[in-house]
């Protein structure tokens, strides 16, 4: 251990979820250190915003290239800290790099001023940065979650303070170093080792102009309340309990495989994972059998081993919570088609579990299941499918599978969600807006709208000097 490491017990620590080993710890910053970081971000903002969008975009593109060059190092770090399968870690590095590349290349164009039609003179809408932003990010995608916030905002000209999850501090440091090595100036992107309870004080600071959080509903409610009290912009991407609606048996093998990937990706620890499978009665039995067979084939083990197809959850606490939800459902009458327990292995593993006969009084009906547990519901028609899908307090993503694209689109249009994919599990791409409604949060990241969330969309109106002055100005 080096000088940065505190006595054992710091909440900011790398704990290998496969072995339980506490690998490294870091001290939380003092209030004085946090104040200096805010001051540095604030003082660096004028010079950073004065640079051209092309210049800022070039640095963000360079960060994307560096990320690919460091792919193996970063991937193994993700697997160490959160138990992600090594191939999944590599895929996350690729996606995060793609996001940086996308905004580095297209950000300047997306931010160009837009002329507005007016009866005389000229008017333009100019996109300007706000200033210092705080990002509060989760552990399940330590690179992807950060860059979809930081990438567009760096191109826009904002400066970033980043509070990462306490369980992936080395990933947080690696990202900060990557931006530094790409040429991003000191103070423009700063990692903060702070506890959750310190976030409110940062948002309260008058130099901080907005905040974005991806995480739990509880954390989002707290951050949104503090930001609102300070009249500051916030973006929240919270939990999800995404419906996966199956309307017919068309290409059922593909649909089942999509369901398997949609549920088991990242060991089920994904906000937009398919969590509630809502299946037409005509295909229900075949779907349940197919999904059971797929889920039963996974092999738990060391996530670094390419042969492993089921990694541990991020922590023992996460595994315990998921098992509480499963036991609650079983105790109240749910049918266990597969799994239902924990394998006899070290590490934070939970068996792939498939539940049917889930009813409203069960926690599994209304709560997000963050792990390899799927629930399947039988419905008689499209109306029942939509009604069941929309009973959730969440509204992040969803998927609809059907042979007829018009039929699928009709159901998609009725789902209460921020994103719906047809004949494909919900996914993420740099050019596609990402975000939800209801208890899943508000605002969007990625795509052309994501870069505008923390922009001052300023109107500039030109009127000829010999034009009459309007008598009514309100």
């Amino acid at each position: 251990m080096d000088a940065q490491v505190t006595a054992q017990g710091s909440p900011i620590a790398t704990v290998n979820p496969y072995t339980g080993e506490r690998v490294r710890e870091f001290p939380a910053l003092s209030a004085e250190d946090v104040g200096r970081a805010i001051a540095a971000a604030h003082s660096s903002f004028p010079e950073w915003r004065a640079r051209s969008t092309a210049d800022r975009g070039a640095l963000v593109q360079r960060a994307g290239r560096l990320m690919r060059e460091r792919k193996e190092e970063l991937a193994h770090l993700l697997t160490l800290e959160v138990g992600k399968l090594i191939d999944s870690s590599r895929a996350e590095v690729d996606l995060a790099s793609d996001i940086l590349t996308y905004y580095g290349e297209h950000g300047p164009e997306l931010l160009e001023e837009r002329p507005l039609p007016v009866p005389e003179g000229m008017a333009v809408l100019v996109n300007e940065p706000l200033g210092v932003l705080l990002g509060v990010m989760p552990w399940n995608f330590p690179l992807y979650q950060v860059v979809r916030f930081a990438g567009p905002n760096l191109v826009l000209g904002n400066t970033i303070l980043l509070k990462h999850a306490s369980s992936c501090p080395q990933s947080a440091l690696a990202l900060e170093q990557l931006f530094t090595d790409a040429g991003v100036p000191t103070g423009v992107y700063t990692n903060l080792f702070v506890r959750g309870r310190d976030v409110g004080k940062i948002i309260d600071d008058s130099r901080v102009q907005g905040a974005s959080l991806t995480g739990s509903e509880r954390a989002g409610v707290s951050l949104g309340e503090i930001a609102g009290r300070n009249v500051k912009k916030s973006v929240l991407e919270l939990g999800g309990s995404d419906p996966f609606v199956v309307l017919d048996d068309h290409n059922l093998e593909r649909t089942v495989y999509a369901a398997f990937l949609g549920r088991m990706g990242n060991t089920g620890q994904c906000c937009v994972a398919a969590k509630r499978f809502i299946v037409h009665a005509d295909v229900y039995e075949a779907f349940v059998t197919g999904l059971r067979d797929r889920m039963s084939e996974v092999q738990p083990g060391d996530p670094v081993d390419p042969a492993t197809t089921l990694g541990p959850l991020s922590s023992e606490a996460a595994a315990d919570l998921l098992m509480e939800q499963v036991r609650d459902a079983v105790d109240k009458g749910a049918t266990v088609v597969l799994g239902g327990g924990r394998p006899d292995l070290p590490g934070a593993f939970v068996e792939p579990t498939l539940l049917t006969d889930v009813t409203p009084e069960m926690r599994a009906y209304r709560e997000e299941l963050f792990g390899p547990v799927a629930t399947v519901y039988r419905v008689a028609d499209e109306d029942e499918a939509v009604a069941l899908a929309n009973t959730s307090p969440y509204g992040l993503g969803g998927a609809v599978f059907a042979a007829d694209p018009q039929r699928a689109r009709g159901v998609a249009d009725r789902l209460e969600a921020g994103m719906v994919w047809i004949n494909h599990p919900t996914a993420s791409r740099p050019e596609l807006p990402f975000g939800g409604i209801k208890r899943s949060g508000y605002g969007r990241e990625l795509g052309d709208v994501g870069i505008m969330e923390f922009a001052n969309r300023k109107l500039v109106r030109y009127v000829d000097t010999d034009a009459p002055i309007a008598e009514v100005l309100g």
Side-chain angles (χ1 to χ4, degrees), residues 73-404:
E73 171 193 345
L74 292 170
H76 281 270
L77 194 53
L78 301 186
T79 295
L80 168 68
E81 294 201 301
V82 299
K84 194 184 294 280
L85 297 179
I86 189 62
D87 284 344
S88 296
S89 294
R90 293 182 179 117
E92 181 179 345
V93 176
D94 288 342
L95 177 57
S97 175
D98 286 347
I99 291 169
L100 292 173
T101 301
Y102 170 81
Y103 280 112
E105 290 181 352
H106 299 287
E109 176 186 354
L110 296 174
L111 292 170
E112 288 180 355
E113 63 182 42
R114 179 166 63 91
L116 302 174
V118 290
E120 73 283 320
M122 294 184 294
V124 293
L125 197 61
V126 182
N127 301 302
E128 297 181 342
L130 296 179
V132 181
L133 304 179
L134 172 67
V136 181
M137 297 296 138
W139 49 263
N140 56 334
F141 291 93
L143 300 182
Y144 159 72
Q145 305 278 13
V146 173
V147 302
R148 73 183 193 186
F149 161 68
N153 280 297
L154 289 174
V155 177
L156 174 58
N158 291 313
T159 57
I160 304 297
L161 299 170
L162 202 292
K163 181 249 182 284
H164 216 319
S166 297
S167 58
C168 50
Q170 295 188 72
S171 299
L173 288 176
L175 264 174
E176 183 181 48
Q177 187 63 53
L178 186 142
F179 283 119
T180 298
D181 293 346
V184 173
T186 301
V188 171
Y189 180 96
T190 306
N191 176 69
L192 296 180
F193 281 148
V194 294
R195 297 178 175 87
R197 64 172 180 259
D198 298 322
V199 167
K201 298 175 185 176
I202 298 172
I203 300 173
D204 283 337
D205 192 293
S206 62
R207 295 166 293 185
V208 175
Q209 301 303 311
S212 179
L213 177 143
T214 298
S216 70
E217 181 182 341
R218 178 180 176 184
V221 168
S222 176
L223 184 143
E225 180 182 7
I226 297 168
R229 186 175 68 232
N230 283 280
V231 199
K232 295 179 181 180
K233 177 67 182 289
S234 62
V235 169
L236 303 179
E237 195 267 277
L238 310 179
S241 189
D242 289 9
F244 185 108
V245 180
V246 181
L247 298 177
D248 55 42
D249 63 355
H250 178 72
N251 206 348
L252 184 60
E253 184 176 354
R254 178 184 181 276
T255 299
V256 168
Y257 182 59
F260 168 76
L261 292 180
R263 175 63 283 198
M264 297 297 291
N266 206 41
T267 319
Q269 299 169 113
C270 178
C271 294
V272 291
K275 299 185 176 83
R276 297 179 296 142
F277 297 93
I278 300 172
V279 184
H280 194 283
D282 291 345
V283 71
Y284 176 84
E285 296 295 343
F287 178 88
V288 169
T289 299
L291 185 56
R292 178 203 64 195
D293 292 347
R294 279 282 186 183
M295 292 177 68
S296 66
E297 294 172 353
V298 300
Q299 295 296 320
D302 185 345
V304 177
D305 185 347
T308 298
T309 52
L310 179 70
L313 297 191
S314 63
S315 67
E316 278 296 316
D320 289 343
L321 172 59
L322 188 60
M323 287 309 305
E324 288 175 10
Q325 293 168 309
V326 170
R327 283 192 293 269
D328 173 79
V330 174
D331 290 346
K332 293 174 181 175
T335 299
V336 180
V337 178
L338 177 72
R342 298 190 62 177
D344 186 18
L345 292 170
F349 286 93
V350 170
E351 292 176 341
T353 298
L354 185 59
L355 302 176
T356 60
D357 304 311
V358 173
T359 54
E361 68 272 11
M362 301 173 188
R363 292 176 62 185
Y365 184 91
R366 63 184 183 275
E367 295 181 5
E368 180 177 26
L369 301 175
F370 219 60
V373 178
T375 58
V376 188
Y377 301 83
R378 184 198 308 258
V379 292
D381 54 33
E382 295 171 20
D383 289 343
E384 187 178 355
V386 170
L388 178 57
N390 290 343
T391 58
S392 173
Y394 298 106
L396 191 53
V400 181
F401 282 71
D404 182 350

